[in-house]
Each structure stands twice: as C-alpha cells, then as structure tokens.
Amino acid sequence: MKIRKPESYILIIFCFIGLHVVHAQQIAKEELIYLTDTWKGERFDDGRPKIPADLIERAKGISIDVAWQILDNEGYASQYEGEWKSINDQPVVGRAVTAMFLPSRPDIEKQIKTRGHEQGFKGNTNSWPIAKLTEGDIYVADAFGKTLQGTLIGDNLGNAIYSKTKRGVVFYGSSRDLEGLSKIEGFNAFVKNWNPTYLKNVMLAGLNTPIKIGKAIVMPGDLVLAKKEGVIFIPAHLVKKVVLTAEFIDLRDEFGHEMLSKGIYESGEIDNEWTPAIKDRFLKWIKNNGNSVPMTQEELNHFLNKRTW
C-alpha cells in the first residue's frame, strides 16, 4: 500500500480550501444535493433542502434539550453551540443560508469581489448572503469568532434581512448597532458579542457551503433553532423526526408534571416505564386536552403503538 507523505495531505487540505475560496459565491448545486442526499423532499433552486413551513412553525415549541438528546441518539454529536448574546428572548427558527468568512488576504479578496460584482452582487461581501435569503431563512455565518472589527451587520442590513426573511441571524462573530437592531420588531440576532466598530479585514470565502459554528457543523438548509439556552442545527432529513418526537416527549412531561404536582403518582412511577394504568390515564388526559395537542391523531398513534413510551 502506498503511503502519502505529510506534505501531500497539506496540499489536499489547501486544495479543498481553495475550492471554496475560488467559488466563494455559491457551492455547486450538484455538490449540495450530493452532500444532503439523505433529504428526499422539496428543494430550492440552489439545491438547498426546503423544510416545510409548518414544521418550522412547530419547531418553535420544542426545547433545545430534547432536540439535542434526539440528535445525540441518532449519532449527531456536533450540532449545538452555546454562550450567545441576543437582542431579546424571541426564538429564531428557520432554514440555514450559510456563509463562511476568513481573515482578508488582498489578492484573493480582490478576485472574489471582482467576480462577485460581475455576477450582480453589490456592496461589501457581508451583504451578499442577503441576496440569497427568502422568507423563513436564517443568515448563519462563521466569522471565526471575531469581535473587534468582526461586525457582520448593523441596523441597515438588519432591516434588509428582516424584510426578506421575517426572521433573524446567527453569527459566530459580532454585530454592531444593538440599539438600532432592537427597534426592528420581530427581529433577533444571536451573536458572540456586540461591538461598535466597522467590519474590517474580513472576506467572504464560502456561500451556502458547509460551515463550522463553534463546535457545531451546519449545512445549508439545516433547521436553525435558536433560544435562550443556545443554538442547535437540525439536519433537514431529521427535522420531522425531531419535531414529532420532541412534541410527544413534551406531552409526556406535561402530563407527568401535572400528576406529580397533584400527588397522583410518585416520581419513581413517572420517571420509569409507565404501568398500563398510567398509560390509560395519559390517553384520557390527551383526549381532554386535545385543543392544546400539536400532533395529529395519526402522528400520536405512531408513538402510542410502540411497546415502550
């Protein structure tokens, strides 16, 4: 077996990085479809998985903890990043449009900007991902955690983003104009910090490419679920499973909390596999609370028919 020399691996790594830098505006549609082959549903014209709007809406009601547990059980251990600063407590939920930024290098940045302007992009490269946004999207950017002069948007771009998405942003970097952004009703931003400086010495190196947000890996089209506790990125093909499973777990928990608060059952009974009597009471509880149950009867039956729940 022929063994590659260490310098061969370095060359391969730089070729991979170069692929993203040279084609910074957009990953090839065919490549994105290939990388997200597990998604079997509808796609955007650029190849991004198009998660149904109703699932995005339902995802607002699930918890980060439960979503993390389900993904971890599926073998997805790198989907969560914590320790964020935000404008308010409003969740940010939607489909990811990803952007990868790197420290500037004049010769490469010049080439990227020249070709981008020829293709119709305007202004600085931090605004280019905005052109790709549609309603329900989240602008997710890796700015390598830069705070000073790493401010990807201010209130002008914030308004532009919200007008297109009716959502917010998630930046592994910083933002400026906190006061101005806070005046955009319905908008929220999850950033690593706030800073008054302008963006400087940063260039766009990838648009709708796989990116790294802290310890998390994000693909274009992933479901972004950002709440007070942190941000989790759910692969598109797992969104339905995560949302439905989380909704069922939340129903179980709500029922269990009520039973415990009323002293009907002991914690040892609720925290272990339920007896037939508890299951029967749970079914009656669901029937009596039908108006507040987010799941359809068919979706509920999928879980109720399992041997253990």
Side-chain angles (χ1 to χ4, degrees), residues 51 54-62 66-67 70 223 225 234 238-250 294-295 299 303:
I51 301 166
D54 66 312
L55 280 178
I56 295 175
E57 189 63 28
R58 288 170 68 170
K60 292 179 181 178
I62 70 176
V66 173
I70 298 166
L223 179 71
L225 179 60
I234 305 173
L238 288 175
V239 170
K240 184 174 182 179
K241 183 173 186 176
V242 170
V243 170
L244 267 61
T245 304
E247 286 178 345
F248 186 76
I249 291 173
D250 286 343
M295 308 175 76
E299 291 168 346
F303 292 95

Side-chain angles (χ1 to χ4, degrees), residues 10 20 22 86 109 117 153 169 203 209 211 221 262 280 285:
I10 294 172
H20 289 296
V22 173
S86 61
E109 184 173 14
H117 292 154
I153 66 168
V169 299
M203 67 179 184
T209 62
I211 62 172
K262 292 181 177 179
D280 184 61
W285 180 86

Side-chain angles (χ1 to χ4, degrees), residues 101 109 112-113 123-129 139 202-204:
F101 292 89
E109 184 173 14
I112 290 172
K113 285 185 174 180
N124 200 11
T125 58
N126 62 310
S127 69
W128 294 3
Y139 179 0
V202 173
M203 67 179 184
L204 179 67

Side-chain angles (χ1 to χ4, degrees), residues 43-86:
R43 292 180 181 269
F44 287 98
D45 289 341
D46 59 11
R48 274 192 309 139
K50 189 175 184 179
I51 301 166
D54 66 312
L55 280 178
I56 295 175
E57 189 63 28
R58 288 170 68 170
K60 292 179 181 178
I62 70 176
S63 70
I64 296 285
D65 299 72
V66 173
W68 177 89
Q69 179 185 343
I70 298 166
L71 290 176
D72 191 62
N73 290 342
E74 293 287 328
Y76 289 77
S78 302
Q79 302 306 128
Y80 171 80
E81 173 69 9
E83 299 181 0
W84 298 89
K85 293 188 178 181
S86 61

Side-chain angles (χ1 to χ4, degrees), residues 280-307:
D280 184 61
R281 184 182 285 268
F282 177 59
L283 294 175
K284 293 177 181 177
W285 180 86
I286 288 178
K287 185 176 180 179
N288 292 334
N289 292 274
N291 292 335
S292 60
V293 175
M295 308 175 76
T296 65
Q297 190 59 51
E298 183 180 359
E299 291 168 346
L300 273 169
N301 289 340
H302 171 76
F303 292 95
L304 296 174
N305 290 334
K306 291 183 178 181
R307 291 185 178 181

